[in-house]
Amino acid sequence: MRSLIVLCLGAAVLGAGTGAAWPQRATTQKQVPLATTPANKADANAWTVGLAGGLLEGTFIRYAADIAKVLDDGDNLRVIPLVTYGAVGNVNDLLYLKGVDAAITQADVLDHFKKELNVPRIDERVHYISPLFHSEVHVCARPEFKTLKDLEGKKVNFNTRGSAANLTGQIVFRRLNINVEPLFLNNSVAVERMRKGEISAVVHVVGKPNELFVNMKAEPPCRLLPVPYDQVFADFYLPTVLKREDYPALIPASEEVPTIAVPTVLAVFNWAKNSERYPKVAKFIEAFFTKFEQLHNPPYQPKWKEINLAAKVPGWTRYPVAEAALAKLAGPDQTAQARSQFETFLNSRGGRREAPLTPQEREALFNEFLKWQRR
């Protein structure tokens, strides 16, 4: 009864520009350009945060750019989005590349570093700030192929090494026991080779709709194949669909293509409090939570509206600064709002309850509802 009520209620983003100075007439002392003075250089770098995005044709870089725009505060905070290899490469950059403080990656990447790459203490070294949007698995195959099983033994491209498709795409085929000949080309190059019949399919793991497929007009070289959800995907993945409004040239009217999605994650290196980078990352995180609502409006990516900042990421640890920022965001005002919604819902049920709830039962039910909201 309580679970039903709770469910019902739940429904009801470095460099300063320099230029050669024009020759000065009758000067007795050489002028040093302002942007090259040590003090100015220090100021320019004082509050910069490097954010690993992804490939230009992917989705991550667009969200990194959105974050940079919204969080920009001149000398007080500047987020620099970096074009990188993608989900796996971004965590590698977070670990080893100088100047990278945060990264956009996927929920299944940390498990890959832990179990496949055997990176020691990875879950202690990399934390998360917030879950982000969902990235859908796109398998686009030449028209003669109807199912994933039809690709057995064929050449399938998994984008460049380090990309989301490289990791998640291969996980899909491996868990479904479908053996293919993997290729690792940039997917925009692979599509052209697929047109010539040299490749059977491309795998792209990005947030829908993605330009690689949206820009396919007239006679597209491939069709989107269904990726059936199975319990083998229950650890990190979710069932979802691709619709005609996502890809008008690839999906017939009134049809949907079932597939799976993987949550993306805003990750951060676990900087110690006494480190040089810690204050910069802390300021970045606090600004992200404070200004998050601005990302819900145009011209930013529409999937920002779907993000639940409080949601947890399985197998990951939230960075303490993010935990504190989230708690501040969900302060007394939000709890009071939840209480009001809860009471309104209970009162609206009126005579439909078999018996009035006791004060203790009412409070226990409200606490269950708060836990549900946090999940």
Side-chain angles (χ1 to χ4, degrees), residues 279-293:
K280 303 182 183 187
V281 168
K283 179 177 281 194
F284 167 80
I285 293 172
E286 289 163 0
F288 175 76
F289 279 91
T290 302
K291 298 183 177 182
F292 181 76
E293 290 292 331

Side-chain angles (χ1 to χ4, degrees), residues 299-364:
Y300 306 114
Q301 299 297 312
K303 279 193 172 188
W304 281 113
K305 297 178 183 178
E306 304 174 8
I307 296 170
N308 176 11
L309 291 176
K312 298 184 180 299
V313 183
W316 290 67
T317 300
R318 200 188 296 264
Y319 195 50
V321 177
E323 203 63 87
L326 182 63
K328 184 177 180 180
L329 196 66
D333 290 343
Q334 186 168 333
T335 302
Q337 183 181 9
R339 171 76 73 176
S340 177
Q341 293 171 342
F342 173 78
E343 295 294 343
T344 299
F345 172 76
L346 283 187
N347 293 334
S348 71
R349 290 177 59 82
R352 283 175 284 181
R353 294 195 301 271
E354 295 180 2
L357 295 172
T358 66
Q360 293 82 1
E361 290 173 331
R362 203 179 187 94
E363 192 64 23

